[in-house]
Amino acid sequence: MTISITRRTILAAAGAGLAAPSLVQAQAGWRPDRPVTVIVPWAAGGSTDQMARIVATELEAALGQRFVVVNQPGASGSIGTRNALEAAKDGMTWAAGAAVDVGCYKVLGLLDTQLKDWNLYFAVANVNVLVANPAANIRDFGAAMEAFRARGANTSVATAGVSSAGHNMMEAIRAATQVQYRHATYDGGNPAMIATVSGETPMGAVLLVEAAEMIRARRLVPLAVQSEQAVTLQGVGEIPSIRRWLSDIPAPLNYFGIWTPKGVPDNVITTMNQVWAEKIANSQRLKDYANQRAAVFAPLHGQNAYDEAWKMVRQTAWLYFDGGKAQVSPDTLGIARL
């Protein structure tokens, strides 16, 4: 299975840092003297919130200080991210989320920042899933395509908003098939998932980690994952890849983690690099979370993190441009077309 191969590759890259100095030495480099804020720019309960709270717990254990997760949703995550960007560059304020969002905010005209402006620390990589409310009588992706072709813009799909993972998935489907849909936006993946469960929308495009429990409870029907291969979800079985129907649709991994702006003191970055290599790279909590929700454990940081995230940023930035949603041409920002 492709995800398993990717996991081995990611762990090999992360393992390059395991010869770093001990965590005790790392703590001597930077030890926060008050609680550190981690801004989740999405609603509580979604994929970013889930991941950030586990990471915060691990960082508290490593550094002996509280890491407080604060939800600041709005404007497709750009409001909370802006607050982190504009905070004092002392290492005491971090943002959380999907790297592709940070990499595309400037393309969308939402925030004047790019991926290169941040120190990146990833925990997991997620896959997108298209789900349906059972009452919608849509049992697989082929049936979903029939609904789109028959009802077009009258068929609502819930997502976490413009630039969210689910929105990116739907735009990739639209670009590949020319079908239309009605975009129903919410303040995060969890509200979008709940809207689909309640029947407010017949379908939802969210991250699999957000929909996993409701899929297991048979409150949602998984139609397809945006992955190179089918994905196995514990307690459910295999969810087919969208490539069964659309063989050429892009399926890059979507990396999630925390980040702080460039310009923070060097000792903050040195310490976090070592904590990531020693604590996060061996986190059983994160491994269990990834296994239970069909995510990929991806403890990357630094250049490795940037290089992996850049693949999806390039694909998504041009997806926005070709779909008429970009405010700035990606090539003017150094984002070359794939």
Side-chain angles (χ1 to χ4, degrees), residues 219-267:
R219 302 289 301 279
L220 290 173
V221 179
L223 306 178
V225 288
Q226 189 180 6
S227 175
E228 293 181 359
Q229 300 286 339
V231 171
T232 299
L233 178 63
Q234 286 184 10
V236 175
E238 191 172 273
I239 302 174
S241 166
I242 194 172
R243 287 188 170 177
R244 178 187 294 182
W245 294 271
L246 305 174
S247 60
D248 295 328
I249 196 167
L253 283 172
N254 194 358
Y255 289 90
F256 279 66
I258 66 172
W259 29 84
T260 195
K262 295 287 181 68
V264 301
D266 289 344
N267 65 337

Side-chain angles (χ1 to χ4, degrees), residues 17-238:
L18 293 180
S22 71
L23 201 54
V24 173
Q25 286 180 271
Q27 292 175 352
W30 175 62
R31 192 179 182 93
D33 58 2
R34 63 186 189 277
V36 178
T37 298
V38 179
I39 297 174
V40 170
W42 304 96
S47 57
T48 299
D49 189 67
Q50 294 169 12
M51 174 276 304
R53 292 182 187 278
I54 298 173
V55 168
T57 298
E58 298 292 63
L59 293 178
E60 287 175 359
L63 293 172
Q65 183 56 266
R66 290 187 64 207
F67 278 69
V68 181
V69 175
V70 178
N71 296 91
Q72 296 180 356
S76 299
S78 63
I79 291 176
T81 305
R82 177 185 287 109
N83 291 339
L85 185 62
E86 295 178 350
K89 290 182 172 53
D90 55 7
M92 302 303 293
T93 305
W94 295 67
V100 67
D101 294 340
V102 176
C104 290
Y105 279 142
K106 194 165 186 175
V107 172
L108 291 169
L110 292 172
L111 185 60
D112 186 12
T113 191
Q114 295 181 259
L115 200 64
K116 65 183 180 182
D117 299 331
W118 301 82
N119 297 287
L120 305 170
Y121 295 86
F122 297 157
V124 296
N126 290 315
V127 296
N128 303 328
V129 64
L130 184 66
V131 293
N133 182 290
N137 200 31
I138 298 172
R139 299 302 171 190
D140 61 23
F141 185 77
M145 289 302 299
E146 290 177 8
F148 290 133
R149 292 190 178 105
R151 299 189 291 275
N154 292 321
T155 303
S156 296
V157 179
T159 82
V162 175
S163 89
S164 68
H167 179 230
N168 294 344
M169 180 182 191
M170 290 308 302
E171 285 300 290
I173 292 170
R174 186 194 57 74
T177 65
Q178 306 307 307
V179 298
Q180 299 301 314
Y181 67 99
R182 181 173 174 270
H183 189 199
T185 62
Y186 293 84
D187 280 337
N190 196 52
M193 181 271 297
I194 291 171
T196 311
V197 169
S198 69
E200 192 171 310
T201 63
M203 285 183 279
V206 294
L207 291 164
L208 183 52
V209 294
E210 295 163 335
E213 292 303 326
M214 287 300 170
I215 292 173
R216 275 192 275 260
R218 301 185 184 279
R219 302 289 301 279
L220 290 173
V221 179
L223 306 178
V225 288
Q226 189 180 6
S227 175
E228 293 181 359
Q229 300 286 339
V231 171
T232 299
L233 178 63
Q234 286 184 10
V236 175
E238 191 172 273

Side-chain angles (χ1 to χ4, degrees), residues 261-277:
K262 295 287 181 68
V264 301
D266 289 344
N267 65 337
V268 173
I269 302 308
T270 298
T271 296
M272 288 297 285
N273 287 349
Q274 294 179 4
V275 169
W276 226 256

Side-chain angles (χ1 to χ4, degrees), residues 292-305:
Q292 291 164 6
R293 293 175 179 263
V296 178
F297 179 54
L300 302 179
H301 67 277
Q303 191 64 43
N304 282 336

